[in-house]
Amino acid sequence: MMSRTSAWILLLAVLAAAFGGWLQHRARLAHGERTAPGDMAPALALPDLDGRTHRLADFAGRRVLINLWASWCAPCLEEMPALNRAWLRHRAHAQVLGIAMDEPSRVRSLLAAHPVDYPILIGQLESPDTASLLGD
């Protein structure tokens, strides 16, 4: 049988866990809804470097690999050539979509030195930022 002290400790632990879950839920609501793995992607509309708006819905019916990256992220830059090769090989039925979480001038400079063939869009940096909306 559980002692009275153990019961109180257990009750306080359950209440603390419930309160923590509630706080996390409130924080997510305050920063915009986030997408979890397996959820439908949000209705995003982002510009490319020429100012044309692209929507995720434009790629409906295709598998879409979204690559969030920034000019200062060395691992991001290392994976871009492999993503480009994969897209060139599978573009008939899949889409690679780069979303740069960076300033357009930095994106232009980086792409001038390291071009890719798949579309690059400019992510929203202000809260709620594009990465957070996509669950990152």
PDB file of all heavy atoms in Angstrom, residues 53-66:
ATOM      1  N   THR A  53       5.084  34.772 -56.339  1.00  0.00           N
ATOM      2  CA  THR A  53       4.600  33.975 -55.209  1.00  0.00           C
ATOM      3  C   THR A  53       4.311  32.544 -55.652  1.00  0.00           C
ATOM      4  O   THR A  53       3.714  32.316 -56.700  1.00  0.00           O
ATOM      5  CB  THR A  53       3.319  34.601 -54.621  1.00  0.00           C
ATOM      6  OG1 THR A  53       3.632  35.921 -54.176  1.00  0.00           O
ATOM      7  CG2 THR A  53       2.787  33.791 -53.454  1.00  0.00           C
ATOM      8  N   HIS A  54       4.763  31.610 -54.843  1.00  0.00           N
ATOM      9  CA  HIS A  54       4.511  30.183 -55.067  1.00  0.00           C
ATOM     10  C   HIS A  54       3.803  29.645 -53.830  1.00  0.00           C
ATOM     11  O   HIS A  54       4.124  30.014 -52.710  1.00  0.00           O
ATOM     12  CB  HIS A  54       5.820  29.421 -55.274  1.00  0.00           C
ATOM     13  CG  HIS A  54       6.598  29.903 -56.453  1.00  0.00           C
ATOM     14  ND1 HIS A  54       6.482  29.342 -57.697  1.00  0.00           N
ATOM     15  CD2 HIS A  54       7.494  30.920 -56.576  1.00  0.00           C
ATOM     16  CE1 HIS A  54       7.286  29.973 -58.534  1.00  0.00           C
ATOM     17  NE2 HIS A  54       7.906  30.929 -57.881  1.00  0.00           N
ATOM     18  N   ARG A  55       2.863  28.754 -54.058  1.00  0.00           N
ATOM     19  CA  ARG A  55       2.120  28.138 -52.966  1.00  0.00           C
ATOM     20  C   ARG A  55       2.461  26.650 -52.904  1.00  0.00           C
ATOM     21  O   ARG A  55       2.681  26.032 -53.939  1.00  0.00           O
ATOM     22  CB  ARG A  55       0.622  28.316 -53.195  1.00  0.00           C
ATOM     23  CG  ARG A  55       0.177  29.747 -53.047  1.00  0.00           C
ATOM     24  CD  ARG A  55      -1.267  29.955 -53.504  1.00  0.00           C
ATOM     25  NE  ARG A  55      -1.712  31.306 -53.261  1.00  0.00           N
ATOM     26  CZ  ARG A  55      -1.238  32.375 -53.878  1.00  0.00           C
ATOM     27  NH1 ARG A  55      -0.299  32.254 -54.779  1.00  0.00           N
ATOM     28  NH2 ARG A  55      -1.695  33.582 -53.596  1.00  0.00           N
ATOM     29  N   LEU A  56       2.443  26.105 -51.708  1.00  0.00           N
ATOM     30  CA  LEU A  56       2.656  24.658 -51.594  1.00  0.00           C
ATOM     31  C   LEU A  56       1.588  23.904 -52.367  1.00  0.00           C
ATOM     32  O   LEU A  56       1.852  22.835 -52.924  1.00  0.00           O
ATOM     33  CB  LEU A  56       2.666  24.226 -50.131  1.00  0.00           C
ATOM     34  CG  LEU A  56       3.918  24.546 -49.334  1.00  0.00           C
ATOM     35  CD1 LEU A  56       3.801  24.001 -47.920  1.00  0.00           C
ATOM     36  CD2 LEU A  56       5.157  23.994 -49.999  1.00  0.00           C
ATOM     37  N   ALA A  57       0.397  24.470 -52.441  1.00  0.00           N
ATOM     38  CA  ALA A  57      -0.691  23.829 -53.181  1.00  0.00           C
ATOM     39  C   ALA A  57      -0.357  23.688 -54.669  1.00  0.00           C
ATOM     40  O   ALA A  57      -0.938  22.842 -55.352  1.00  0.00           O
ATOM     41  CB  ALA A  57      -1.978  24.625 -53.007  1.00  0.00           C
ATOM     42  N   ASP A  58       0.571  24.500 -55.180  1.00  0.00           N
ATOM     43  CA  ASP A  58       0.996  24.388 -56.585  1.00  0.00           C
ATOM     44  C   ASP A  58       1.592  23.014 -56.879  1.00  0.00           C
ATOM     45  O   ASP A  58       1.650  22.604 -58.038  1.00  0.00           O
ATOM     46  CB  ASP A  58       2.042  25.454 -56.938  1.00  0.00           C
ATOM     47  CG  ASP A  58       1.515  26.872 -56.828  1.00  0.00           C
ATOM     48  OD1 ASP A  58       0.278  27.054 -56.804  1.00  0.00           O
ATOM     49  OD2 ASP A  58       2.346  27.801 -56.763  1.00  0.00           O
ATOM     50  N   PHE A  59       2.059  22.333 -55.845  1.00  0.00           N
ATOM     51  CA  PHE A  59       2.719  21.035 -56.010  1.00  0.00           C
ATOM     52  C   PHE A  59       1.824  19.880 -55.588  1.00  0.00           C
ATOM     53  O   PHE A  59       2.304  18.777 -55.352  1.00  0.00           O
ATOM     54  CB  PHE A  59       4.033  21.020 -55.224  1.00  0.00           C
ATOM     55  CG  PHE A  59       4.938  22.159 -55.572  1.00  0.00           C
ATOM     56  CD1 PHE A  59       5.056  23.257 -54.739  1.00  0.00           C
ATOM     57  CD2 PHE A  59       5.656  22.147 -56.762  1.00  0.00           C
ATOM     58  CE1 PHE A  59       5.878  24.308 -55.070  1.00  0.00           C
ATOM     59  CE2 PHE A  59       6.486  23.199 -57.101  1.00  0.00           C
ATOM     60  CZ  PHE A  59       6.597  24.291 -56.265  1.00  0.00           C
ATOM     61  N   ALA A  60       0.523  20.121 -55.514  1.00  0.00           N
ATOM     62  CA  ALA A  60      -0.428  19.082 -55.100  1.00  0.00           C
ATOM     63  C   ALA A  60      -0.311  17.876 -56.026  1.00  0.00           C
ATOM     64  O   ALA A  60      -0.135  18.011 -57.234  1.00  0.00           O
ATOM     65  CB  ALA A  60      -1.845  19.630 -55.119  1.00  0.00           C
ATOM     66  N   GLY A  61      -0.382  16.694 -55.433  1.00  0.00           N
ATOM     67  CA  GLY A  61      -0.297  15.461 -56.191  1.00  0.00           C
ATOM     68  C   GLY A  61       1.122  14.959 -56.405  1.00  0.00           C
ATOM     69  O   GLY A  61       1.323  13.892 -56.970  1.00  0.00           O
ATOM     70  N   ARG A  62       2.104  15.721 -55.963  1.00  0.00           N
ATOM     71  CA  ARG A  62       3.502  15.316 -56.090  1.00  0.00           C
ATOM     72  C   ARG A  62       4.097  15.179 -54.698  1.00  0.00           C
ATOM     73  O   ARG A  62       3.679  15.830 -53.764  1.00  0.00           O
ATOM     74  CB  ARG A  62       4.296  16.382 -56.858  1.00  0.00           C
ATOM     75  CG  ARG A  62       3.749  16.617 -58.243  1.00  0.00           C
ATOM     76  CD  ARG A  62       4.549  17.636 -58.974  1.00  0.00           C
ATOM     77  NE  ARG A  62       5.763  16.973 -59.464  1.00  0.00           N
ATOM     78  CZ  ARG A  62       6.806  17.622 -59.922  1.00  0.00           C
ATOM     79  NH1 ARG A  62       6.827  18.922 -59.965  1.00  0.00           N
ATOM     80  NH2 ARG A  62       7.863  16.959 -60.367  1.00  0.00           N
ATOM     81  N   ARG A  63       5.095  14.351 -54.590  1.00  0.00           N
ATOM     82  CA  ARG A  63       5.849  14.280 -53.340  1.00  0.00           C
ATOM     83  C   ARG A  63       6.753  15.501 -53.302  1.00  0.00           C
ATOM     84  O   ARG A  63       7.413  15.811 -54.293  1.00  0.00           O
ATOM     85  CB  ARG A  63       6.681  13.016 -53.277  1.00  0.00           C
ATOM     86  CG  ARG A  63       5.846  11.777 -53.184  1.00  0.00           C
ATOM     87  CD  ARG A  63       6.723  10.546 -53.231  1.00  0.00           C
ATOM     88  NE  ARG A  63       5.902   9.376 -53.351  1.00  0.00           N
ATOM     89  CZ  ARG A  63       5.653   8.547 -52.349  1.00  0.00           C
ATOM     90  NH1 ARG A  63       6.187   8.761 -51.176  1.00  0.00           N
ATOM     91  NH2 ARG A  63       4.883   7.510 -52.532  1.00  0.00           N
ATOM     92  N   VAL A  64       6.772  16.180 -52.166  1.00  0.00           N
ATOM     93  CA  VAL A  64       7.567  17.406 -52.034  1.00  0.00           C
ATOM     94  C   VAL A  64       8.537  17.248 -50.878  1.00  0.00           C
ATOM     95  O   VAL A  64       8.137  16.948 -49.759  1.00  0.00           O
ATOM     96  CB  VAL A  64       6.672  18.640 -51.805  1.00  0.00           C
ATOM     97  CG1 VAL A  64       7.510  19.896 -51.647  1.00  0.00           C
ATOM     98  CG2 VAL A  64       5.678  18.812 -52.954  1.00  0.00           C
ATOM     99  N   LEU A  65       9.813  17.432 -51.166  1.00  0.00           N
ATOM    100  CA  LEU A  65      10.841  17.466 -50.135  1.00  0.00           C
ATOM    101  C   LEU A  65      11.176  18.937 -49.922  1.00  0.00           C
ATOM    102  O   LEU A  65      11.625  19.614 -50.848  1.00  0.00           O
ATOM    103  CB  LEU A  65      12.088  16.705 -50.578  1.00  0.00           C
ATOM    104  CG  LEU A  65      13.181  16.571 -49.524  1.00  0.00           C
ATOM    105  CD1 LEU A  65      13.932  15.276 -49.739  1.00  0.00           C
ATOM    106  CD2 LEU A  65      14.128  17.741 -49.524  1.00  0.00           C
ATOM    107  N   ILE A  66      10.908  19.432 -48.733  1.00  0.00           N
ATOM    108  CA  ILE A  66      11.184  20.826 -48.409  1.00  0.00           C
ATOM    109  C   ILE A  66      12.500  20.889 -47.663  1.00  0.00           C
ATOM    110  O   ILE A  66      12.675  20.250 -46.630  1.00  0.00           O
ATOM    111  CB  ILE A  66      10.049  21.440 -47.562  1.00  0.00           C
ATOM    112  CG1 ILE A  66       8.750  21.433 -48.370  1.00  0.00           C
ATOM    113  CG2 ILE A  66      10.420  22.841 -47.108  1.00  0.00           C
ATOM    114  CD1 ILE A  66       7.541  21.883 -47.588  1.00  0.00           C
TER     115      ILE A  66
END
